[in-house]
Amino acid sequence: MARKTREYGEPIAFSLTSMMDIMTIILVFMIKQVDSEGQLITAAENLVLPNSTSTKTPREVSLGLVVDANWVLVDGQRVVETSIVSGQDTLLVAALDEVLKDKREIEKQAKIAKGEPDEGGGNIIVQLDKNMNYDVMYKVMATCGFSGFTNVAFAVNQLNPEE
């Protein structure tokens, strides 16, 4: 029995079913690999964030506070040096308190303009280096509370719970 040969330019009949199977498998792997939520905030360059296995995702927040080895920053603006915060005896960091109270007032006005009630405290995300002194973290957190930001979330590197 002779083998049938095909001439150049002759249409090829192929099965769409097998191509659909391949595309479905590729789609499933791509969906598995892509993070559906993405990164909510951009981590500061000189910080090593702590790791967490928490699956709870914070709601979107407009105010970010970064505490690195040298500075305390609010929305990217330098407020006070970390060494000054570490060296003071009181919990309230005066320079940070002034800036946060101004930001809280702006947040209140924005909610009122939208017609939303301003229930509870303000929302803030704090980025701290995982090697930061506890004393500095405690003073920054207390100042956030004094300024009206009582809903504080920490930025962390989320690990898979299986790890």
Side-chain angles (χ1 to χ4, degrees):
M1 184 186 251
R3 187 171 179 183
K4 183 179 177 183
T5 59
R6 185 171 25 112
E7 293 189 23
Y8 185 73
E10 184 178 325
I12 301 171
F14 57 90
S15 172
L16 282 176
T17 306
S18 60
M19 296 220 19
M20 291 299 291
D21 290 344
I22 292 170
M23 294 304 289
T24 303
I25 291 170
I26 291 172
L27 180 66
V28 167
F29 281 118
M30 287 179 63
I31 289 174
K32 178 112 172 90
Q33 295 298 320
V34 173
D35 185 16
S36 62
E37 291 183 13
Q39 192 165 355
L40 297 175
I41 60 170
T42 305
E45 296 174 5
N46 51 354
L47 291 182
V48 178
L49 295 175
N51 297 325
S52 173
T53 57
S54 174
T55 57
K56 185 177 178 183
T57 56
R59 49 187 165 210
E60 194 169 325
V61 185
S62 61
L63 185 63
L65 183 121
V66 177
V67 182
D68 64 16
N70 301 318
W71 288 95
V72 176
L73 300 99
V74 176
D75 281 344
Q77 303 295 320
R78 292 179 177 176
V79 177
V80 65
E81 290 185 40
T82 307
S83 60
I84 294 172
V85 174
S86 179
Q88 73 181 28
D89 292 332
T90 62
L91 285 178
L92 183 68
V93 181
L96 180 60
D97 186 49
E98 289 176 25
V99 173
L100 290 179
K101 282 184 178 177
D102 291 342
K103 297 286 186 178
R104 179 70 180 119
E105 191 60 37
I106 292 169
E107 184 180 24
K108 282 182 184 179
Q109 296 303 323
K111 283 189 174 186
I112 290 170
K114 289 181 183 177
E116 298 174 0
D118 185 35
E119 298 172 355
N123 300 318
I124 189 169
I125 290 185
V126 178
Q127 296 182 47
L128 288 160
D129 191 280
K130 73 177 188 178
N131 299 317
M132 184 58 60
N133 189 353
Y134 175 77
D135 187 45
V136 173
M137 188 232 16
Y138 190 73
K139 290 174 185 175
V140 168
M141 293 283 299
T143 304
C144 289
F146 293 144
S147 302
F149 289 97
T150 55
N151 301 322
V152 179
F154 286 102
V156 294
N157 288 326
Q158 187 174 12
L159 298 176
N160 292 333
E162 299 92 34
E163 293 180 0

